[in-house]
Structures are given as structure tokens and as C-alpha cells.
Amino acid sequence: MPTQVAEIVCAHSPDSDDAYMFYALATQKVRSPLLTFRHVLDDIQTLNQKAREGVFDLTAISYHAYPYVADKYYLMASGSSVGDGYGPMVVSETAMTVDDLKGKKIAVPGKLTTAYLTLRLMQPDFEAIVVPFDHILEAVHDKVADAGLVIHEAQLTHNASGFNTIVDLGRWWKGKYNLPLPLGANVLRRDLSPEVAHESCRMMKESIQYALDHREEALNYAMQFARDLDAKMADKFVGMYVNHFTVDCGDLVPKAAQLLLDMGHEAGLIPHRVSVEFIR
């Protein structure tokens, strides 16, 4: 009797870096006799919320969201977006320092994002205005907020739009703890069979490696998701967030993620302590 093929519903954000790492799965360059993948695209804040309900088999989430979904999901060793000395940035139209952020209104892309958690650890005293990630600069320009927390491509484009960088949170984190900043992860449902789980992990890892080995081909695909970036900038952005840490998290990413989440708990930002648990 032939093996029944399982369908994995796989959710990620419509961003150039996610598109790049999922390219080989989406185009069936990487295949399996056991699994097929169906892709769902949504913004990271929505994916974080849906992961709390266990909606998808495999989904991208923020590391900050993991404590809220750890009962339903494992972290996957492949698929992490990590800023090694760079990351989300706080920006403004007027010249400001980090100290000036105290008590200010800051537009943030969601309270379960790792960017928000990291900013709270650096500066606990500010008023968060939740805005869709692609409207952060607009919120600052329209004076809805004094500063904005930018993720995704705006990290590279905000200066050209007339905004100043107040702080790069990935750089701040690296300088303080000498660790990379784990921003996004892929997670896999705990109730999948071991066979399906390990095959999903194999395929995810192979998809990322395929993109790195066929950079131009994967970049051409990812360009359709590269908001306002030309090919050179998209190449730079993808290179920042799809790298050796993405192929396999190794020891440093779990160490950094555990520290980040422990600090979040100790600061009262995360209700309970959680141990990071990765599957390969």
C-alpha cells in the first residue's frame, strides 16, 4: 500500500528574505515522497497571533512569540532570521538620542515582535503605538509617533526617505552581550509524527541551502516580494538575514534566544519562563 502523502500548511511573511529561504519549497526544487507544502502568506504580527491558536503546521514567528506558543510548537533549527551586529532600528525625522526616547510615543510593528521586546529591554519607558510594519515611517511623518521601530526592508531605505537612525538594536545587543540577535524563527507543530517532523526539518534546511547555492535564481524569485528595493538592495537585505545561522542555528542562536526570553521574563514583559527547544 503506497504511503499517504501529508500536506504541511506552511505560513510565512511576504518578505524578500522569507521568499528567498522558502523558494525551493514553493517551486518544488526540494521534494519529498512523504510531504507536500502549501504556502500561506501573512504579516509577522498576524502569524504570531495565529501561532497562539496553533493554526498552521509550520509557521514563521518572532522569537518573542515563542513563550506563548511553546506548548504547541518546537523551534526549528533551520529558518532563523538573525541580526549579527545589526537589526531593527529606531528612527525619527528629527535628531534624537537614545536618552530622548524616554517617555516618547514610538510606532511599533506589533507587541509580539522581537524588535518590540528588544526595544523594551533597552528603554522600558515609552508609549507604544501599534502600526502595521509598512506604515511605521508614515506614522512618524504624520506625527502620530515621535519615533518608529522599523523592521524588514525599511532598515535599508529609511535614510533615503529623510529619517535618522537613533539606534540599531542588533548593534546595541551585540555590543552589550556579544551575541547575535535572534529575530524570527520557524516553528513546527509538536503533534506531527516524528517522521513528518524530521522530514519537514530536512526539507526546510535543504530549501535554505538551495537558495544560498543558487543565489541569483532565488533572488530573482524573491524580488517580487522586495518592497521598494532594487536588486542590489534586495541582495544586501537577503544576505543580512539568510545566512549560516539560517541554515542551522548552531549553539549561539539558542543561547542568545534563551537570554533574550529570560530577560523579557525578568523585566515583566513575558509572563512565564520558557526553555527554548529546537528540533532538527
Side-chain angles (χ1 to χ4, degrees), residues 21 59 89 91 102 134 151 160 222 243 250 267:
M21 73 170 83
T59 182
M89 298 173 180
V91 306
K102 188 172 183 179
D134 51 350
I151 59 174
N243 49 39

Side-chain angles (χ1 to χ4, degrees), residues 15-277:
D15 305 309
S16 51
D17 55 332
D18 270 13
Y20 182 83
M21 73 170 83
F22 281 94
Y23 163 64
L25 288 178
T27 57
Q28 297 189 315
K29 306 286 185 187
V30 172
R31 300 184 185 197
S32 166
L34 299 178
L35 307 180
T36 60
F37 280 79
R38 178 158 62 87
H39 296 260
V40 176
L41 303 183
D42 223 327
D43 70 278
I44 193 63
Q45 180 65 6
T46 301
L47 295 181
N48 286 336
Q49 295 292 353
K50 288 186 175 179
R52 296 180 75 164
E53 301 158 28
V55 172
F56 302 114
D57 301 311
L58 188 167
T59 182
I61 65 164
S62 302
Y63 268 95
H64 182 197
Y66 179 68
Y68 302 91
V69 306
D71 60 326
K72 298 181 180 71
Y73 290 96
Y74 294 109
L75 289 157
M76 297 177 76
S78 298
S80 290
S81 294
V82 179
D84 193 10
Y86 49 84
M89 298 173 180
V90 184
V91 306
S92 62
E93 283 193 310
T94 55
M96 294 172 72
T97 66
V98 170
D99 292 338
D100 293 333
L101 292 174
K102 188 172 183 179
K104 293 292 194 294
K105 291 181 178 179
I106 303 179
V108 303
K111 291 187 177 180
L112 282 180
T113 60
T114 312
Y116 173 79
L117 173 61
T118 311
L119 178 56
R120 277 285 180 208
L121 292 173
M122 189 199 75
Q123 172 50 269
D125 181 13
F126 69 89
E127 182 185 345
I129 310 291
V130 177
V131 174
F133 75 92
D134 51 350
H135 291 282
I136 297 281
L137 298 182
E138 185 183 324
V140 178
H141 180 70
D142 292 345
K143 306 292 190 286
V144 173
D146 303 297
L149 177 57
V150 295
I151 59 174
H152 301 319
E153 292 89 345
Q155 292 170 57
L156 297 183
T157 59
H158 69 275
N159 288 131
S161 304
F163 288 82
N164 305 296
T165 307
I166 301 169
V167 62
D168 180 323
L169 293 173
R171 187 174 183 181
W172 169 79
W173 176 263
K174 179 88 171 184
K176 198 162 180 68
Y177 302 107
N178 196 30
L179 286 168
L181 180 59
L183 296 163
N186 288 334
V187 293
L188 194 65
R189 283 187 65 106
R190 289 178 180 268
D191 58 4
L192 295 173
S193 73
E195 186 181 38
V196 167
H198 291 299
E199 185 71 347
S200 298
C201 289
R202 177 192 71 81
M203 293 177 74
M204 188 72 248
K205 184 173 185 176
E206 285 194 16
S207 181
I208 296 160
Q209 192 61 58
Y210 184 95
L212 292 171
D213 292 342
H214 302 81
R215 189 172 187 83
E216 187 175 354
E217 177 187 329
L219 266 173
N220 286 338
Y221 172 81
M223 274 301 294
Q224 65 187 300
F225 302 98
R227 284 173 295 267
D228 303 323
L229 294 187
D230 60 26
K232 187 177 178 183
M233 291 282 264
D235 184 36
K236 180 179 180 182
F237 181 72
V238 166
M240 288 165 65
Y241 291 111
V242 186
N243 49 39
H244 66 284
F245 288 125
T246 317
V247 177
D248 191 287
C249 63
D251 298 325
L252 274 185
V253 173
K255 180 182 177 182
Q258 191 67 62
L259 176 63
L260 182 72
L261 297 178
D262 285 350
M263 288 175 63
H265 174 65
E266 287 155 15
L269 301 168
I270 295 171
H272 56 278
R273 195 176 295 278
V274 68
S275 294
V276 296
E277 194 175 352

